[in-house]
Amino acid sequence: MASASPSAASTQTTLPSGLAVFKTIPYAFILPEILCGIWVWILVAATSVSLPLLQGWVMYVSLSSCLISLLLLISYLFGFHKNSENWKVLDSLYHGATAILYMSAAVLQANATIRSEFGPNSPLYYQLNSAASFFAFITTLLYILHAFSIYYH
């Protein structure tokens, strides 16, 4: 009599490679994460960075996250993962940790935005800081969605 439970091989999902990365939900978040993170870096760099301790952390998190996410995207595109289950764990841990770091950066950028409201050249820098805060929170949301959706994939 055949068993009703599925075999272990059929429950293991395959990791995408090539252009299928852009069609699979958890991995399709990588490109928007990179693009929004680049916008955060550009917008903060366009300001006078009057609060280097706050905005320096924001620039560090956004630039390093973009570079690591780009390397992760390239590794998925070229199939370096070889369908290993360890890559799912690595991906989830990376995106979870980066979501926490990005949340701290987004809060610090929001603080810098509030402080820049009445500074020199306040209208221009306030608008740039506001846009950087917006994209920092959007990027945080993308990293959170990626980290949690990897479990449901």
Side-chain angles (χ1 to χ4, degrees):
M1 181 169 189
S3 68
S5 66
S7 68
S10 66
T11 60
Q12 181 183 10
T13 59
T14 59
L15 296 174
S17 61
L19 294 178
V21 171
F22 301 114
K23 298 176 184 176
T24 310
I25 275 297
Y27 309 102
F29 289 129
I30 295 176
L31 190 59
E33 291 164 0
I34 293 169
L35 294 176
C36 288
I38 288 172
W39 271 113
V40 171
W41 185 80
I42 289 171
L43 289 168
V44 172
T47 66
S48 66
V49 188
S50 58
L51 302 164
L53 187 60
L54 300 178
Q55 292 179 308
W57 176 250
V58 175
M59 291 180 74
Y60 170 74
V61 168
S62 64
L63 188 60
S64 62
S65 299
C66 286
L67 292 176
I68 295 171
S69 292
L70 183 64
L71 289 174
L72 193 62
L73 178 64
I74 290 170
S75 67
Y76 278 122
L77 286 174
F78 290 115
F80 294 142
H81 52 76
K82 297 187 185 351
N83 206 20
S84 172
E85 195 64 28
N86 294 335
W87 276 82
K88 287 180 92 173
V89 173
L90 172 75
D91 191 348
S92 181
L93 288 176
Y94 165 70
H95 281 89
T98 306
I100 293 169
L101 293 177
Y102 241 110
M103 180 57 80
S104 70
V107 169
L108 290 176
Q109 181 58 37
N111 186 357
T113 301
I114 293 168
R115 290 183 180 198
S116 72
E117 186 174 8
F118 300 110
N121 298 324
S122 62
L124 175 65
Y125 291 146
Y126 180 74
Q127 291 172 354
L128 289 172
N129 282 324
S130 296
S133 296
F134 174 77
F135 279 108
F137 281 108
I138 293 296
T139 309
T140 302
L141 179 66
L142 287 169
Y143 276 103
I144 290 171
L145 287 173
H146 188 126
F148 282 120
S149 66
I150 196 79
Y151 291 116
Y152 299 111
H153 177 256

